[in-house]
Amino acid sequence: MIKEDIIKELKTVYDPEMPSIDVFTLGLIYDIDIHENNKVTITHTLTSMLCPAADEITKNIKEAGERAAGKDNVKVILTHTPPFSRDMLSEEAKLILGL
C-alpha cells in the first residue's frame, strides 16, 4: 500500500523542462525500495546530466515520498546509470509526446 501511495505522490512532481509529464510517468524513477519501519529509498535519474533543475527535482521527489512515508523516512539517490533515454518513457508519456 505504501508503494502505491508513494507513486501517487510522485505523479505530482514534474521536471520543469517537461511540465506536461510527471517524473514517474516520464520514467525518471528507477526504484522505490521499502525497508523496515516504512524507511524508503527512491532512486531516480534526470533527463540530462546537466539538468539545471536537478536540485529542485530531487527535493520535490523527497518531499513527495515523505508525504506518503513520513518525514525523515525517505532517502533519495540520484543516478545517471543507466542514462535516461526514450526507451524509459511509459506508454502514457509516449502518447503525450506523440511518439
Side-chain angles (χ1 to χ4, degrees):
M1 182 65 127
I2 191 170
K3 187 169 185 173
E4 291 82 11
D5 293 342
I6 292 169
I7 291 170
K8 181 180 175 183
E9 291 297 333
L10 288 171
K11 288 186 173 194
T12 69
V13 177
Y14 292 83
D15 179 334
E17 294 179 333
M18 305 273 298
S20 61
I21 307 171
D22 64 85
V23 295
F24 187 83
T25 303
L26 194 55
L28 298 181
I29 306 299
Y30 284 174
D31 188 45
I32 301 169
D33 190 16
I34 301 170
H35 313 279
E36 293 179 24
N37 303 324
N38 287 340
K39 298 287 184 185
V40 176
T41 302
I42 300 172
T43 304
H44 78 97
T45 195
L46 301 167
T47 56
S48 165
M49 289 179 69
L50 303 174
C51 178
D55 291 341
E56 177 185 354
I57 293 168
T58 298
K59 178 179 86 64
N60 292 342
I61 288 171
K62 181 171 177 49
E63 290 172 352
E66 287 179 338
R67 285 194 296 272
K71 187 152 176 65
D72 300 324
N73 282 341
V74 178
K75 176 181 177 182
V76 176
I77 299 171
L78 171 60
T79 185
H80 294 290
T81 306
F84 178 79
S85 71
R86 285 186 176 187
D87 295 335
M88 296 170 178
L89 295 169
S90 69
E91 290 303 315
E92 180 182 354
K94 288 177 184 176
L95 285 172
I96 292 169
L97 295 172
L99 301 174

